[in-house]
Every structure is written in C-alpha cells, then in structure tokens.
Amino acid sequence: MTFEELGVTEPLRRAIEELGFEHPMPVQEKVIPELLGGDHDVVGLAQTGSGKTAAFGLPVIQRVDPSHNVPQALILAPTRELCLQIAADLADFSKYIPSLEVLPVYGGSSIESQIRAVRKGVQIIVATPGRLIDLINRNVVKLGDVHTVVLDEADEMLNMGFIDSINEILTHVPDNRKMLMFSATMPKEVARIASRFMHSPEEIVVGNRNEGAENVRHIYYMVNARDKYLALKRIVDNNPNIYAIIFCRTRRDTQEIADHLIADGYNAEALHGDLSQQQRDMVMKKFRDRVLPILVATDVAARGLDVDDLTHVINYGLPDDTSVYTHRSGRTGRAGKTGVSVAIIHSREKGKLREIERIIGKKFERKEVPTPEHIIEKQLYNLADRLEKVEVNDEEIDKYFLGVSRKLSWLSEEDLLKRILSLEFNRLLDYYKDAPQIDFIDEKPSRDKKKGESKKHTHSEEDKDRRTAEPGLARIYVNAGKADGFYAGSLIETLNHNVLGKRVDVGRIDLMPDYTLFDIPASDAKRVVAALKGSMWLDKRLYSEVADTSKVYAESSPRRSKSSPRRPSRKPSRRR
C-alpha cells in the first residue's frame, strides 16, 4: 500500500517523502480513506506514536480549500505542547500548499497576536479548549464553515476536565461536519461523546482496545519501599545510553527524586505544575534535544511532550488508573522502535500490576535489581564500544597529539587504559564499593506448603504488610473506605477539618472498600486517633485506632453507625 493508493495528493506526498515517510503505517492505511471518502465519522483507538497525526492531518489538509480564508477544520488537543506539535506537523505536511494557513491557539501566550492571526485568515485551527472558547466568546473565531473536527487524545481531555468545554465548542460547529476522535483508551466517557456527537461512528482499532504499544517490553522490580530510590539509580546505571521519563505520582515526589538524582551526579531535571511556563518550555526543549537524558515528571506536566526515541519509561510506582499506565508506556517503542516500560513496585502494588496486565493483555517480566558488579561491567563495555566507534579528526588532533604523547610516554598501554577507565568510572566505583544490599522480595510461597495453605499465607502476609508502617511512622485505621465514597482527598479533608494544631503529614494511604489505613508521623498518632474518633464523614460516625498488626481488618465487620442513609455531599462535622 502506498500513499498514492490511499488517495493522498501529489503536493502532500512530496512533502511527506522529504520528511522520510516511505510507506503508510497501519493507522494511516485505515483512517485516511475514511476521512477522504467514507460516509461515517471515525473513532480511532491508537497509541501515541502510532502515526496518527499524519493519519488525520493529511486528509484534513486535503479537504480544505486554501482559497477560502475562514476556519474549515478544527483540531482540539488537551495541552499547549501537543497543540504546537500538531500545528508544526501540519505546517510541514502542507509545505507545497503555500496559501494554506495553520494556526495554533492555546493559553499561556498572547491572545492579541492570536486574534490578529485569525483575522488575517486561517483555514485550520489547532486549539486547546479553554483558549478557543475565549476566542469564540469574543466573537473572533467563527466555526460556521468548519466541515472537519478532530479530537486528539480524547481520553486525556476528559481526564483534564474538558468535557463541558468540548460540549460547548461542538454546539458552534455545523451538525453535518465530519468528525474524528482519537483516543489511546476507550473509557465510558469517550464512548458517550461518540454516541452523542458523532454520526454512525466507525471504530478503527490499531492493536487491541486499551492495550499497550506493541513494541514495548513491560518489566517490574519488586523491592521494599525504602529501597525504591536505590533501585531506580541501579536501573539507570545499568542502561548507559538511557533516554527516559521517570513518572512520579505527585509534584513533591517529582521534585524530590529529581533533586536526589542531580545531587548524585545524574543529568536530570523535574517537570511539574509548580514550574512556570518558561521553565517548562526550557526543560522540555533540553529533553527533546537530548541535552537532558533523564526527565522526572508528573503525568499532567508530561502531556503533550512528544519524543520518538525514548528507550525507557520508568514508573516510580504504579498509577491508580490503568489508562494512565497505557499512556505512559506508549511514549516508548514508537515508530517501529522497541522500548521498555519499567515499574518499580513494592508488594502492596502487586494486585494493581495484575490488573494492568489484564487490561493491556500483556505480562510483566519480573527482574532482579542489577548488582553493582553487573552495572560496572556493563558501563565499562559501553565505554569500550564508544572508544571503538569514536570518529577521529586526524587533521585537528595531530596538532596536539605529539605534545600529549610526550607527556604520557612514561605510561604503558595497560596503565593508560586503566587511567582512561578510572577517569570515566571513579564515581561509580566509589559509590558501589560500599553499596548497600537491596533486599529482594520473594513472591513465591514455600514449596512444602499445601496449595490452600499457601494461598492463605500469602493473603495473610499481604494484609499484615498493609497494616505495618515504615520506621518512624504510625499506621492508622479508620472505618470508612471506598464503598462510603471515602477517598484520599476525603481523608485529607477530614484530617484538616478535625485535627487541631500543626498540619498532619500523611504518607502511604491504602483505601479498602470498608476501611482505610494510612501512615503519619508516630508523634502525631495519639492526637489524630483522638480527633477522628466520634467525628463524622457525611452521615457516618468514624472510629479510628492505631492499626493492630495482629488484627485482620479485611475479615472483621466494619464498625458502622446506625444512621440515616448517606447524602451525596456534606462537609464533615467538626469534632465537638
């Protein structure tokens, strides 16, 4: 199959050939004919990096009339970065259609300059929802002539809370427009948009629903929680040419991990919402240009950061939402290349790992954290490989070679080589000389136990682990859980409202259907338990205690108050 056979016109083919496009990718083979000549709207399920920008971009450009200076195609994207990237790609595709104008419209930039550009005339608008609504309300952007609408990364837009904005924007677009929606996963909310706004949508799936990218290998390391950072450093050291994003759950974790890596001599930086837009742009440019090989990021901050050559995605703990893992892992193994998605987990995340396996249809490989000996050997051989392949500019080097050669003439070949290696590796050698032992967690039950006993033992040990706090912390039990609508935010709100005095720092939180266990500093345990006992969450009276490691909370009856049915929303009552 060729682009010509798909119906792509000659000016577009000439432009994409110069960009290195030789043959259509699977998503392009399926989507381009539908957008150019099909009678249906299209829902495309494909991973980031599968070639979907060209899949919708080429037919969108081809459907536009360059002589008509009004918006004819609208592409919505969740982030400023993705918006700019799509616009840049479309500009490259339309290189030989000089009268075609593509305008990126996004927040964080001068709205006045965007207004001037719209008034000059534009055929394709690539926009983030918020800024586009602003321009619509100012009567600057009129969408009455739009015949093609594309929602890119629809699941991400829903995760970011853009559903109302999308609904509003689509009311300004003619009902007979052609519509395409791309999503990496297919949550119910995306399906609802399709049924509400699309006409007889045809679903095109590249791969399987919700599965990870085909060329991605999924592996995990299971270590004690206290050893996660040490394991992270060993994984990085064991991959000398790593080019990776390390995903953390919170802004605080992201900055702390990045700071630790920088202090330990790694070329890394953080990317999160507390940075200014200018700082974010600078970090992302350094990462795209590979000046920066390691980026530590939150999921929100990394949205729209699009690079093709990532070797690794590292999950510093698993996300709660499986679709988030799918997005993370889909950032590597792109454009026909292979990649590795790594999860560093502790035993309490094993169930979450199995759920992700079920959804993506792939198994994770269990790996042991690399030993210091293996890391140093791998790094040395990598240096040897670089020395073999380095390009030597004889003309320039010869100017200095004689003087340097005289200075080092007293060294034997073996001494010289040892010094080169030591110059490169003293940091690693010094660090790993006294490296602490990382305790690996054995998942397998003892062979001499019967099958039923092994299962019971595993369940008991897992529950006991959930009841055990890290050193210096106390594990607190409270009799409200997910079945009560009680989540992490509810816990924090309840603590802030009921615990007087200094704010309580909350660590690990385990949310169960009927109860919650969470870590706090041991010094705060008494006042937190006293404050929670007898307080209210909605219409439920709370009971709290320092978690008893001998008690199996999962098997005990939850302490429920005899109160009226819970109402959907009410602030927790202050303890009296």
Side-chain angles (χ1 to χ4, degrees), residues 434-482:
D434 300 313
Q437 176 66 39
I438 293 183
D439 296 322
F440 304 111
I441 297 175
D442 185 7
E443 298 173 77
K444 299 176 183 176
S446 176
R447 289 184 178 178
D448 60 353
K449 291 188 179 287
K450 294 178 182 177
K451 189 175 181 182
E453 291 176 334
S454 296
K455 278 187 179 179
K456 184 175 180 181
H457 172 77
T458 302
H459 173 79
S460 165
E461 287 301 310
E462 184 180 352
D463 191 68
K464 184 175 179 181
D465 188 38
R466 193 181 292 122
R467 286 172 269 142
T468 305
E470 298 295 331
L473 300 177
R475 211 92 271 230
I476 305 299
Y477 163 90
V478 64
N479 65 327
K482 290 186 284 188

Side-chain angles (χ1 to χ4, degrees), residues 423-567:
L423 189 66
E424 183 79 10
F425 287 106
N426 273 347
R427 181 187 68 85
L428 275 178
L429 293 169
D430 289 345
Y431 173 73
Y432 283 116
K433 181 175 61 178
D434 300 313
Q437 176 66 39
I438 293 183
D439 296 322
F440 304 111
I441 297 175
D442 185 7
E443 298 173 77
K444 299 176 183 176
S446 176
R447 289 184 178 178
D448 60 353
K449 291 188 179 287
K450 294 178 182 177
K451 189 175 181 182
E453 291 176 334
S454 296
K455 278 187 179 179
K456 184 175 180 181
H457 172 77
T458 302
H459 173 79
S460 165
E461 287 301 310
E462 184 180 352
D463 191 68
K464 184 175 179 181
D465 188 38
R466 193 181 292 122
R467 286 172 269 142
T468 305
E470 298 295 331
L473 300 177
R475 211 92 271 230
I476 305 299
Y477 163 90
V478 64
N479 65 327
K482 290 186 284 188
D484 304 296
F486 191 82
Y487 292 93
S490 315
L491 172 64
I492 302 301
E493 181 185 4
T494 303
L495 290 172
N496 290 341
H497 195 75
N498 289 284
V499 180
L500 303 177
K502 192 180 89 171
R503 194 189 66 155
V504 178
D505 289 325
V506 179
R508 187 179 97 227
I509 300 173
D510 286 324
L511 291 162
M512 310 308 292
D514 295 316
Y515 65 94
T516 297
L517 294 164
F518 60 97
D519 283 353
I520 59 171
S523 58
D524 290 327
K526 286 185 179 179
R527 71 186 181 106
V528 167
V529 168
L532 291 182
K533 273 185 184 177
S535 64
M536 301 292 291
W537 164 252
L538 302 180
D539 285 335
K540 182 183 181 75
R541 187 170 297 280
L542 297 181
Y543 172 83
S544 180
E545 64 182 36
V546 175
D548 183 347
T549 55
S550 66
K551 187 184 293 185
V552 182
Y553 289 107
E555 296 175 2
S556 61
S557 298
R559 297 174 172 86
R560 297 187 179 277
S561 61
K562 297 178 181 179
S563 56
S564 57
R566 291 186 295 274
R567 290 187 287 273

Side-chain angles (χ1 to χ4, degrees), residues 17 62 116 167 205 223 374 376 384 417 527 532 547:
E17 282 168 11
Q62 194 162 316
R116 287 193 296 271
N167 290 341
V205 181
V223 300
H374 186 271
I376 291 169
L417 186 56
R527 71 186 181 106
L532 291 182

